[in-house]
Amino acid sequence: MSATEYLRHPAILLAAVSVAIALAWFALGFPVEMPRSPLAAGEKLDCLAYAPARPGSTAADATIPAANIEGDLARLAPQTSCIRTYTTGMGLDQVPPIARRLGLTVLQGIAIGRDAERNRAEIERAIVLARTDRAGIRAFVVGSEVLSRGDLAVTDLGVLVTRVREATKLPVTYADRWETWLDAGGLAALVDFITIHVELYRADDPVLASAAARTMLDARAKVAARFAAKQVTIGEIGWPSAGRMREAALPSPANQARVIHDVVTAARSGSIRINIFEGYDQPWRVSREGTAGGHWGLIDTETGANKFRWGREVSNHPLWFVQGVLGIMLALIAFAAGYLAARSMGPSGPAAAEWQPVALVALAGGLFLGWAVADVPLRSHSILEWAHSILLVGLAVAMPPVAAAALIRNVPFAGFGALLNPLQRSAARPLSQLVALLFVLTVLVAIQLALGLVFDPANRDFLFAPLTGPAVALLVLAIRNSANARRDGPAEQAAALILAASALFIAFNETFWNWEALWFAATLLALALACWRPRVARNP
């Protein structure tokens, strides 16, 4: 067998594709080294943000049971000496006495907003807490980002801060983004210390994970210089372990661990009080804030396990072996579909078939299937989200073997017409109709995702993983199996224009630092080319 024949042999190509998938997932799953732990043996974090963390709970829960709060705080107590809450409502006025029993102090939040009656109720509950559980309360945080949201003016907020301070006789602070504090000079005289939030991933100009500590120190230095007479503490800083990239800021388990290591080390070196956002993941936030919104916690709510251990390496894909196996299985199924299609052409079919296009389709599908499957539970928290995710994964699984069979049998790629045009549908083979069905579904889903990222991109993920396999398969089919006849597909042409225009907008809007956006844009362009290529045979 010559070298050229070796490169065309399906078994050899399948082995090469399988090795490539295995090596890729081994590299993706390889652990990332972390800096030395900032905590000595037995030391704890200064403070952790806390919101109730039970699967199925939401921010709209009327009253959180005390048993749930106690279970949550018992899990946090070995890791931190303090927790920060954001409201006295929802049953969270139960936190101080429970925390005190567990050896924790509390930065007790008081939710302040536009609703005067709600503000009054929050403050009244805080005053009661000051009378009954003052020993466990480190300070009251009267409002969080009220000024940034534009809910109240500085003077109106100052009245509420003064009311809490005078009624409770406990330290009082207000928490907001550090940039907002620079313009809130009149409020500084009314608080005992200043609490700033340092945005990294969510900043207007997102920060690289490696620059987190420097950004925190610079922000605090600016506020401290503006208010030299006041202590400045960090009220919120953190990093999500999952979600979409924002410019070059990438949420991942390793980046989250790196940021937390770095900011805690910097805070300890500078004797800065710091509150890490946050203790537990909050899956309910995914529908409102995107995938990243639900994955800021140091503890995975579903498993109850810490996402990393101090000073230990962290893998961004801890299930890499299983994900690699899934990809190899899909590649095997694609080759098997191609082989069965070749066998149906007669004894010489498998030997005469062109297998390189099948290998390309199997490689693209196999590389990304495991990624697509792993993302499903991260972003799916409603029936519609689950249905959407399952549809995407279904396309990622179905397209490679169907495309492989169509490539081997040289089925004409007629485009949407084989499904939607009655004349073409009656003349099309069943396999051609199946290709057309998957083509239509993939393009419709891609357009829906693309337009979402054009008109409302803030919290939408770049779902490149489930789309890459189908996009490559359809492009290969369009190039290899296009009928040599006139173009007659206005629907395909319209889809191509939408996809191509969206791809260009997304790439420029998200900046060229965002490789997720660029990859997603590339899949849209591949689908646009697939839409542009179909030819429809002229009726005799």
Side-chain angles (χ1 to χ4, degrees):
M1 186 181 291
S2 67
T4 302
E5 290 173 326
Y6 269 113
L7 292 176
R8 292 179 177 175
H9 196 282
I12 293 173
L13 287 171
L14 173 59
V17 167
S18 299
V19 169
I21 293 171
L23 290 176
W25 276 106
F26 176 78
L28 287 169
F30 200 79
V32 179
E33 292 289 336
M34 288 296 117
R36 182 178 178 181
S37 172
L39 303 178
E43 277 193 298
K44 300 180 181 181
L45 292 169
D46 185 45
C47 208
L48 268 177
Y50 169 69
R54 294 299 168 109
S57 68
T58 72
D61 287 336
T63 302
I64 307 300
N68 287 10
I69 294 174
E70 185 151 10
D72 290 342
L73 298 190
R75 184 72 179 79
L76 296 177
Q79 304 183 55
T80 183
S81 58
C82 158
I83 58 166
R84 176 187 169 183
T85 64
Y86 290 82
T87 179
T88 60
M90 296 169 51
L92 292 183
D93 53 351
Q94 304 171 91
V95 167
I98 295 172
R100 180 164 43 81
R101 291 199 301 270
L102 294 170
L104 296 166
T105 58
V106 180
L107 287 172
Q108 178 63 53
I110 301 175
I112 299 298
R114 296 176 184 270
D115 188 331
E117 181 57 30
R118 183 186 177 194
N119 294 344
R120 186 200 62 77
E122 283 276 333
I123 290 172
E124 289 304 315
R125 283 190 293 265
I127 293 171
V128 171
L129 283 174
R131 293 171 183 160
T132 58
D133 290 287
R134 64 186 302 110
I137 298 175
R138 180 186 290 185
F140 284 107
V141 184
V142 187
S144 179
E145 301 191 2
V146 177
L147 301 179
S148 290
R149 294 193 303 269
D151 289 347
L152 294 176
V154 172
T155 53
D156 296 328
L157 179 60
V159 170
L160 300 182
V161 170
T162 301
R163 161 99 171 115
V164 173
R165 189 179 190 185
E166 292 177 349
T168 65
K169 309 301 182 185
L170 283 170
V172 170
T173 186
Y174 165 69
D176 211 326
R177 299 176 65 176
W178 69 269
E179 301 95 332
T180 303
W181 257 112
L182 293 177
D183 296 323
L187 197 59
L190 304 178
V191 297
D192 293 283
F193 59 95
I194 292 171
T195 300
I196 64 171
H197 294 171
V198 181
E199 299 282 2
L200 302 170
Y201 168 76
R202 290 285 189 190
D204 294 337
D205 294 312
V207 175
L208 284 169
S210 58
R214 183 173 68 252
T215 301
M216 179 189 75
L217 294 176
D218 288 348
R220 182 182 180 276
K222 290 175 182 177
V223 178
R226 174 76 171 80
F227 305 107
K230 294 288 182 178
Q231 179 189 17
V232 179
T233 67
I234 310 298
E236 273 188 9
I237 193 165
W239 196 270
S241 61
R244 54 107 79 198
M245 285 187 75
R246 298 190 70 243
E247 297 185 12
L250 174 65
S252 71
N255 277 349
Q256 183 189 52
R258 171 68 185 274
V259 167
I260 303 304
H261 275 78
D262 287 352
V263 299
V264 172
T265 298
R268 296 241 159 182
S269 298
S271 299
I272 301 168
R273 281 195 161 181
I274 181 173
N275 174 67
I276 299 297
F277 185 83
E278 60 186 322
Y280 291 97
D281 280 347
Q282 302 293 323
W284 61 270
R285 290 202 198 115
V286 170
S287 298
R288 191 178 72 183
E289 301 176 13
T291 302
H295 296 90
W296 290 81
L298 303 190
I299 297 174
D300 185 318
T301 302
E302 300 294 331
T303 65
N306 281 52
K307 294 181 184 177
F308 63 86
R309 297 176 65 185
W310 295 104
R312 303 290 182 86
E313 56 192 16
V314 177
S315 172
N316 286 322
H317 299 276
L319 299 177
W320 65 269
F321 183 82
V322 175
Q323 290 170 290
V325 169
L326 283 176
I328 292 171
M329 289 175 62
L330 181 61
L332 177 61
I333 292 169
F335 271 88
Y339 185 80
L340 291 174
R343 284 289 299 270
S344 68
M345 299 166 65
S348 62
E354 290 286 337
W355 289 97
Q356 292 94 330
V358 173
L360 179 57
V361 167
L363 179 63
L367 278 174
F368 289 94
L369 177 62
W371 199 319
V373 171
D375 280 350
V376 170
L378 294 179
R379 60 178 296 270
S380 305
H381 297 280
S382 71
I383 294 176
L384 286 178
E385 289 169 348
W386 275 103
H388 189 262
S389 296
I390 290 170
L391 173 61
L392 283 167
V393 171
L395 291 171
V397 170
M399 196 70 248
V402 171
L407 286 165
I408 294 298
R409 291 187 63 85
N410 199 27
V411 172
F413 185 54
F416 295 175
L419 183 70
L420 304 178
N421 186 308
L423 292 177
Q424 293 179 52
R425 186 170 63 247
S426 62
R429 306 176 194 175
L431 183 55
S432 182
Q433 292 180 351
L434 181 56
V435 170
L437 173 62
L438 295 177
F439 184 29
V440 170
L441 288 174
T442 302
V443 169
L444 288 176
V445 169
I447 289 175
Q448 175 254 323
L449 294 174
L451 292 180
L453 283 163
V454 168
F455 293 105
D456 184 26
N459 296 318
R460 296 182 184 271
D461 293 340
F462 304 104
L463 299 181
F464 61 89
L467 274 187
T468 297
V472 170
L474 288 166
L475 180 58
V476 172
L477 270 173
I479 294 172
R480 295 277 302 187
N481 290 22
S482 288
N484 294 317
R486 66 183 175 86
R487 187 186 305 277
D488 186 16
E492 288 96 326
Q493 293 177 26
L497 289 173
I498 294 172
L499 290 168
S502 298
L504 294 175
F505 177 85
I506 290 167
F508 282 99
N509 186 56
E510 299 292 342
T511 77
F512 291 108
W513 296 106
N514 189 331
W515 66 260
E516 287 189 350
L518 296 180
W519 194 288
F520 183 77
T523 65
L524 297 183
L525 289 176
L527 287 172
L529 288 172
C531 289
W532 198 256
R533 291 285 302 182
R535 303 293 195 272
V536 180
R538 192 191 301 272
N539 290 328

